[in-house]
Coordinates of all heavy atoms in Angstrom, one line a residue:
R35 N 103.0 50.7 160.6 CA 104.3 51.3 161.4 C 105.5 51.2 160.7 O 106.5 52.0 160.9 CB 104.4 50.3 162.7 CG 103.3 50.5 163.7 CD 103.3 51.8 164.4 NE 104.5 52.0 165.1 CZ 104.8 51.5 166.4 NH1 103.9 50.9 167.0 NH2 106.0 51.8 166.9
A36 N 105.7 50.3 159.7 CA 106.9 50.3 158.9 C 107.2 51.6 158.1 O 108.4 51.9 158.0 CB 106.8 49.2 157.9
S37 N 106.2 52.3 157.9 CA 106.4 53.6 157.2 C 107.1 54.7 158.2 O 107.4 55.7 157.7 CB 105.1 54.2 156.7 OG 104.2 54.6 157.7
R38 N 107.1 54.4 159.4 CA 107.8 55.4 160.3 C 109.2 55.1 160.6 O 109.9 55.7 161.4 CB 107.0 55.5 161.7 CG 105.5 55.8 161.6 CD 105.3 56.8 160.6 NE 105.8 58.1 161.0 CZ 106.0 59.2 160.1 NH1 105.6 59.1 158.9 NH2 106.6 60.2 160.5
K39 N 109.6 53.9 160.1 CA 111.0 53.5 160.2 C 111.9 54.5 159.5 O 111.7 54.9 158.4 CB 111.2 52.1 159.5 CG 112.7 51.6 159.7 CD 112.9 50.3 159.0 CE 114.3 49.8 159.0 NZ 114.5 48.6 158.3
V40 N 113.0 54.9 160.2 CA 113.9 55.9 159.6 C 114.9 55.2 158.6 O 115.6 54.3 158.9 CB 114.7 56.6 160.7 CG1 115.7 57.6 160.1 CG2 113.8 57.3 161.7
N41 N 115.0 55.7 157.4 CA 115.8 55.2 156.4 C 116.8 56.3 155.8 O 116.3 57.4 155.7 CB 115.0 54.6 155.2 CG 114.3 53.3 155.4 OD1 114.9 52.3 155.8 ND2 113.0 53.3 155.4
Y42 N 118.0 55.9 155.6 CA 119.0 56.8 155.0 C 118.7 56.7 153.5 O 118.9 55.7 152.8 CB 120.4 56.2 155.5 CG 121.5 57.2 155.1 CD1 121.3 58.6 154.8 CD2 122.8 56.7 155.1 CE1 122.4 59.4 154.6 CE2 123.9 57.5 154.7 CZ 123.7 58.8 154.5 OH 124.7 59.6 154.2
Y43 N 118.4 57.9 152.9 CA 117.7 58.0 151.6 C 118.6 58.7 150.6 O 119.1 59.7 150.9 CB 116.4 58.8 151.9 CG 115.5 59.1 150.9 CD1 114.4 58.4 150.7 CD2 115.9 60.3 150.0 CE1 113.5 58.9 149.6 CE2 114.9 60.8 149.1 CZ 113.8 60.1 148.9 OH 112.9 60.5 147.9
Y44 N 118.8 58.2 149.4 CA 119.5 58.7 148.3 C 118.5 59.0 147.3 O 117.7 58.1 146.8 CB 120.6 57.8 147.8 CG 121.3 58.5 146.6 CD1 122.6 59.0 146.9 CD2 120.8 58.6 145.4 CE1 123.3 59.6 145.7 CE2 121.4 59.0 144.3 CZ 122.7 59.6 144.5 OH 123.4 60.2 143.4
N45 N 118.5 60.2 146.6 CA 117.7 60.6 145.5 C 118.6 61.1 144.4 O 119.3 62.0 144.6 CB 116.6 61.6 146.0 CG 115.5 61.8 145.0 OD1 115.8 62.0 143.8 ND2 114.3 61.9 145.4
T46 N 118.3 60.6 143.2 CA 119.1 61.0 142.0 C 118.9 62.5 141.7 O 119.8 63.1 141.0 CB 118.9 60.2 140.8 OG1 117.5 60.4 140.4 CG2 119.2 58.7 141.0
W47 N 117.9 63.1 142.2 CA 117.6 64.5 141.8 C 118.7 65.4 142.3 O 119.0 66.5 141.6 CB 116.2 65.0 142.4 CG 115.8 66.2 141.8 CD1 115.6 67.4 142.4 CD2 115.4 66.4 140.4 NE1 115.1 68.3 141.5 CE2 115.0 67.7 140.2 CE3 115.4 65.7 139.3 CZ2 114.6 68.2 139.0 CZ3 115.0 66.1 138.1 CH2 114.6 67.4 138.0
G48 N 119.4 65.2 143.4 CA 120.5 66.0 143.9 C 121.6 66.0 142.8 O 122.2 67.0 142.5
M49 N 122.0 64.8 142.3 CA 122.9 64.7 141.3 C 122.5 65.4 140.1 O 123.3 66.1 139.4 CB 123.2 63.2 141.1 CG 124.1 62.9 139.9 SD 123.9 61.2 139.1 CE 122.3 61.5 138.3
Q50 N 121.2 65.3 139.8 CA 120.7 65.9 138.6 C 120.8 67.4 138.7 O 121.1 68.1 137.7 CB 119.3 65.3 138.2 CG 119.3 64.0 137.7 CD 117.9 63.3 137.7 OE1 117.6 62.5 138.6 NE2 117.2 63.6 136.7
R51 N 120.4 67.9 139.8 CA 120.5 69.4 140.0 C 121.9 69.9 139.9 O 122.2 70.9 139.4 CB 119.9 69.7 141.3 CG 118.4 69.6 141.5 CD 117.6 70.6 140.6 NE 117.8 72.0 141.1 CZ 117.1 72.6 142.0 NH1 116.1 72.0 142.6 NH2 117.3 73.8 142.3
D52 N 122.9 69.2 140.5 CA 124.2 69.5 140.4 C 124.8 69.6 139.0 O 125.7 70.3 138.6 CB 125.2 68.6 141.2 CG 125.1 68.8 142.7 OD1 124.5 69.9 143.1 OD2 125.5 68.0 143.5
S53 N 124.1 68.8 138.0 CA 124.7 68.7 136.7 C 124.5 70.1 136.0 O 125.0 70.4 134.9 CB 123.8 67.6 135.9 OG 122.5 68.0 135.7
Q54 N 123.5 71.0 136.6 CA 123.3 72.3 136.0 C 124.6 73.0 136.0 O 124.9 73.8 135.1 CB 122.2 73.0 136.7 CG 120.9 72.4 136.4 CD 119.7 73.1 137.1 OE1 119.8 73.3 138.3 NE2 118.7 73.6 136.5
W55 N 125.5 72.8 137.0 CA 126.7 73.6 137.1 C 127.7 73.1 135.9 O 128.6 73.8 135.6 CB 127.3 73.3 138.4 CG 126.5 73.9 139.5 CD1 125.8 73.2 140.3 CD2 126.4 75.3 139.9 NE1 125.2 74.0 141.3 CE2 125.6 75.4 141.0 CE3 126.9 76.4 139.3 CZ2 125.2 76.5 141.6 CZ3 126.6 77.6 140.0 CH2 125.7 77.6 141.1
E56 N 127.4 71.9 135.3 CA 128.2 71.4 134.3 C 127.6 71.6 132.9 O 127.8 71.0 131.9 CB 128.3 69.8 134.5 CG 129.0 69.5 135.8 CD 128.8 68.0 136.1 OE1 128.6 67.3 135.1 OE2 128.9 67.6 137.2
N57 N 126.6 72.6 132.9 CA 125.9 72.9 131.7 C 125.2 71.8 131.0 O 125.1 71.7 129.8 CB 126.8 73.5 130.7 CG 127.4 74.9 131.2 OD1 126.7 75.7 131.8 ND2 128.7 75.2 131.1
M58 N 124.7 70.9 131.9 CA 123.8 69.7 131.4 C 122.4 69.9 131.8 O 122.1 70.4 132.9 CB 124.4 68.5 132.0 CG 125.8 68.1 131.5 SD 126.4 66.5 132.1 CE 125.3 65.4 131.2
E59 N 121.5 69.5 131.0 CA 120.2 69.5 131.2 C 119.8 68.5 132.3 O 120.5 67.4 132.4 CB 119.3 69.1 130.0 CG 117.9 69.7 130.0 CD 117.0 68.7 130.7 OE1 117.1 67.5 130.7 OE2 116.0 69.2 131.3
L60 N 118.9 68.8 133.2 CA 118.7 68.0 134.4 C 118.5 66.5 134.2 O 118.9 65.7 135.1 CB 117.4 68.5 135.0 CG 117.5 69.8 135.9 CD1 116.1 70.3 136.3 CD2 118.2 69.6 137.1
R61 N 117.9 66.2 133.1 CA 117.6 64.7 132.8 C 118.7 64.1 131.9 O 118.6 62.8 131.8 CB 116.1 64.6 132.2 CG 115.1 65.1 133.3 CD 113.8 65.4 132.6 NE 112.9 65.9 133.6 CZ 112.8 67.2 133.9 NH1 113.7 68.2 133.4 NH2 111.9 67.7 134.8
D62 N 119.5 64.8 131.3 CA 120.4 64.2 130.4 C 121.5 63.4 131.1 O 122.0 62.5 130.5 CB 121.2 65.3 129.6 CG 120.3 66.1 128.6 OD1 119.3 65.4 128.3 OD2 120.7 67.1 128.1
I63 N 121.8 63.7 132.3 CA 122.8 63.0 133.1 C 122.3 61.6 133.5 O 123.1 60.8 133.9 CB 123.3 63.9 134.3 CG1 124.7 63.3 134.8 CG2 122.2 63.9 135.3 CD1 125.3 64.3 135.8
F64 N 121.0 61.4 133.4 CA 120.4 60.2 133.9 C 120.5 59.1 132.7 O 120.0 59.2 131.8 CB 118.9 60.4 134.2 CG 118.3 59.3 134.9 CD1 117.9 59.5 136.3 CD2 118.1 58.0 134.4 CE1 117.3 58.5 137.1 CE2 117.5 57.1 135.2 CZ 117.2 57.3 136.5
N65 N 121.4 58.1 133.0 CA 121.6 57.0 132.2 C 122.1 55.8 133.1 O 122.5 56.0 134.1 CB 122.6 57.3 131.0 CG 124.0 57.7 131.5 OD1 124.7 56.9 132.1 ND2 124.4 59.0 131.4
E66 N 122.0 54.6 132.3 CA 122.3 53.5 133.1 C 123.7 53.4 133.7 O 123.9 53.1 134.9 CB 122.2 52.2 132.1 CG 122.5 50.9 132.9 CD 122.3 49.7 131.9 OE1 121.1 49.5 131.3 OE2 123.2 49.0 131.8
K67 N 124.7 53.8 132.9 CA 126.1 53.8 133.4 C 126.3 54.6 134.6 O 126.9 54.3 135.6 CB 127.1 54.3 132.3 CG 128.6 54.2 132.7 CD 129.4 54.6 131.5 CE 130.8 54.6 131.9 NZ 131.3 55.7 132.9
R68 N 125.8 55.9 134.5 CA 126.0 56.9 135.6 C 125.2 56.4 136.8 O 125.6 56.5 138.0 CB 125.4 58.3 135.2 CG 125.6 59.4 136.3 CD 127.1 59.4 136.8 NE 127.2 60.3 138.0 CZ 127.4 61.6 137.9 NH1 127.5 62.2 136.7 NH2 127.5 62.4 139.0
I69 N 124.0 55.9 136.7 CA 123.2 55.5 137.8 C 123.8 54.3 138.5 O 123.8 54.1 139.8 CB 121.7 55.2 137.4 CG1 121.1 56.5 136.9 CG2 120.9 54.8 138.6 CD1 121.1 57.7 137.7
L70 N 124.3 53.4 137.8 CA 124.9 52.3 138.4 C 126.2 52.7 139.3 O 126.3 52.1 140.3 CB 125.5 51.2 137.3 CG 124.4 50.5 136.6 CD1 125.0 49.6 135.5 CD2 123.6 49.5 137.6
E71 N 126.9 53.6 138.8 CA 128.1 54.2 139.6 C 127.5 54.9 140.9 O 127.9 54.6 142.0 CB 128.7 55.4 138.8 CG 129.5 54.8 137.6 CD 130.1 55.9 136.8 OE1 130.0 57.1 137.2 OE2 130.9 55.6 135.8
E72 N 126.4 55.7 140.7 CA 125.7 56.3 141.9 C 125.3 55.2 142.9 O 125.4 55.5 144.1 CB 124.6 57.2 141.5 CG 125.1 58.4 140.7 CD 125.8 59.3 141.4 OE1 125.5 59.6 142.7 OE2 126.9 59.8 141.0
I73 N 124.7 54.2 142.4 CA 124.3 53.1 143.4 C 125.5 52.6 144.2 O 125.4 52.3 145.4 CB 123.6 52.0 142.7 CG1 122.3 52.5 142.1 CG2 123.2 50.7 143.5 CD1 121.6 51.5 141.0
D74 N 126.6 52.4 143.5 CA 127.8 51.8 144.1 C 128.3 52.9 145.2 O 128.6 52.6 146.3 CB 128.8 51.6 143.2 CG 128.6 50.3 142.3 OD1 127.8 49.5 142.8 OD2 129.1 50.2 141.3
Y75 N 128.3 54.2 144.9 CA 128.6 55.3 145.8 C 127.7 55.3 146.9 O 128.0 55.4 148.1 CB 128.5 56.6 145.1 CG 129.5 56.8 144.0 CD1 129.2 57.7 142.9 CD2 130.7 56.2 143.9 CE1 130.0 58.0 141.9 CE2 131.5 56.5 142.9 CZ 131.2 57.3 141.9 OH 132.0 57.5 140.8
A76 N 126.4 55.0 146.7 CA 125.4 55.0 147.8 C 125.7 53.8 148.8 O 125.5 54.0 150.0 CB 124.0 54.9 147.2
S77 N 126.1 52.6 148.2 CA 126.4 51.5 149.0 C 127.6 51.9 150.0 O 127.6 51.5 151.1 CB 126.8 50.4 148.2 OG 127.2 49.3 149.0
D78 N 128.5 52.6 149.4 CA 129.8 53.1 150.3 C 129.3 53.9 151.5 O 130.0 53.9 152.4 CB 130.8 53.9 149.4 CG 131.4 53.0 148.4 OD1 131.4 51.7 148.6 OD2 132.0 53.5 147.4
L79 N 128.2 54.6 151.2 CA 127.7 55.4 152.3 C 126.6 54.8 153.1 O 126.0 55.4 154.0 CB 127.1 56.8 151.7 CG 128.0 57.7 151.0 CD1 127.2 58.7 150.2 CD2 128.9 58.4 152.0
N80 N 126.4 53.4 153.0 CA 125.5 52.7 153.8 C 124.0 53.2 153.6 O 123.2 53.3 154.6 CB 125.8 52.6 155.2 CG 127.1 51.9 155.5 OD1 127.4 50.9 154.8 ND2 127.9 52.4 156.3
I81 N 123.7 53.6 152.4 CA 122.4 54.1 152.0 C 121.4 53.0 152.2 O 121.6 51.7 151.8 CB 122.3 54.7 150.6 CG1 123.1 56.0 150.5 CG2 121.0 54.8 150.1 CD1 122.4 57.1 151.2
D82 N 120.2 53.2 152.8 CA 119.1 52.1 152.9 C 118.2 52.2 151.7 O 117.6 51.1 151.3 CB 118.3 52.4 154.1 CG 119.0 52.4 155.4 OD1 119.8 51.4 155.6 OD2 119.0 53.3 156.2
M83 N 117.9 53.3 151.1 CA 116.9 53.4 150.0 C 117.4 54.4 148.9 O 118.0 55.4 149.2 CB 115.7 54.0 150.6 CG 114.6 54.1 149.6 SD 113.0 54.9 150.5 CE 112.7 53.6 151.7
F84 N 117.3 53.9 147.6 CA 117.8 54.7 146.5 C 116.6 54.9 145.6 O 116.0 54.0 145.1 CB 118.8 53.8 145.8 CG 119.7 54.6 144.7 CD1 121.0 55.0 145.0 CD2 119.1 54.9 143.4 CE1 121.6 55.7 144.0 CE2 119.8 55.5 142.4 CZ 121.1 55.9 142.7
V85 N 116.3 56.2 145.3 CA 115.2 56.7 144.5 C 115.7 57.2 143.2 O 116.5 58.1 143.1 CB 114.4 57.7 145.3 CG1 113.3 58.2 144.5 CG2 113.9 57.2 146.6
L86 N 115.1 56.6 142.1 CA 115.4 57.1 140.8 C 114.3 58.2 140.5 O 113.1 58.0 140.5 CB 115.1 56.0 139.8 CG 115.8 54.7 139.9 CD1 115.5 53.7 138.9 CD2 117.4 55.0 139.9
D87 N 114.7 59.4 140.3 CA 113.9 60.6 140.1 C 113.6 60.8 138.6 O 113.9 60.0 137.8 CB 114.6 61.8 140.8 CG 113.5 62.7 141.5 OD1 112.9 63.5 140.6 OD2 113.3 62.8 142.7
D88 N 113.0 62.0 138.4 CA 112.6 62.4 137.0 C 113.6 62.2 136.0 O 114.7 62.6 136.2 CB 112.1 63.9 137.1 CG 111.4 64.2 135.9 OD1 111.1 63.4 135.1 OD2 110.9 65.4 135.8
G89 N 113.3 61.4 135.0 CA 114.2 61.1 133.9 C 114.2 59.6 133.6 O 114.8 59.2 132.5
W90 N 113.8 58.8 134.6 CA 113.8 57.4 134.5 C 112.8 56.9 133.5 O 112.9 55.8 132.8 CB 113.7 56.7 135.8 CG 112.3 56.6 136.3 CD1 111.7 57.6 137.0 CD2 111.3 55.6 136.0 NE1 110.4 57.2 137.2 CE2 110.1 56.1 136.7 CE3 111.3 54.5 135.3 CZ2 109.0 55.3 136.7 CZ3 110.1 53.7 135.3 CH2 109.0 54.1 136.0
Q91 N 111.6 57.7 133.4 CA 110.5 57.2 132.7 C 110.5 57.6 131.3 O 111.2 58.5 130.8 CB 109.2 57.9 133.4 CG 109.0 59.3 133.1 CD 109.9 60.3 133.9 OE1 110.7 60.0 134.6 NE2 109.5 61.5 133.8
E92 N 109.6 57.0 130.5 CA 109.5 57.2 129.0 C 109.1 58.7 128.8 O 109.7 59.4 127.9 CB 108.5 56.2 128.4 CG 108.5 56.3 126.8 CD 109.8 55.8 126.3 OE1 110.5 54.9 126.9 OE2 110.2 56.5 125.3

Side-chain angles (χ1 to χ4, degrees):
R35 291 292 300 277
S37 70
R38 307 315 299 164
K39 179 183 176 183
V40 177
N41 286 298
Y42 190 20
Y43 172 104
Y44 178 104
N45 190 316
T46 62
W47 195 245
M49 174 202 72
Q50 291 170 256
R51 290 292 296 270
D52 283 347
S53 70
Q54 290 181 305
W55 297 105
E56 305 168 19
N57 296 318
M58 295 183 69
E59 203 277 331
L60 282 168
R61 295 161 188 83
D62 288 345
I63 199 170
F64 196 110
N65 60 67
E66 180 181 300
K67 180 176 182 295
R68 179 61 188 270
I69 299 303
L70 287 172
E71 291 177 3
E72 292 296 314
I73 294 169
D74 290 339
Y75 298 149
S77 176
D78 291 341
L79 294 169
N80 294 319
I81 291 289
D82 297 310
M83 183 182 296
F84 191 102
V85 176
L86 305 177
D87 212 285
D88 191 0
W90 76 274
Q91 76 279 12
E92 190 60 42

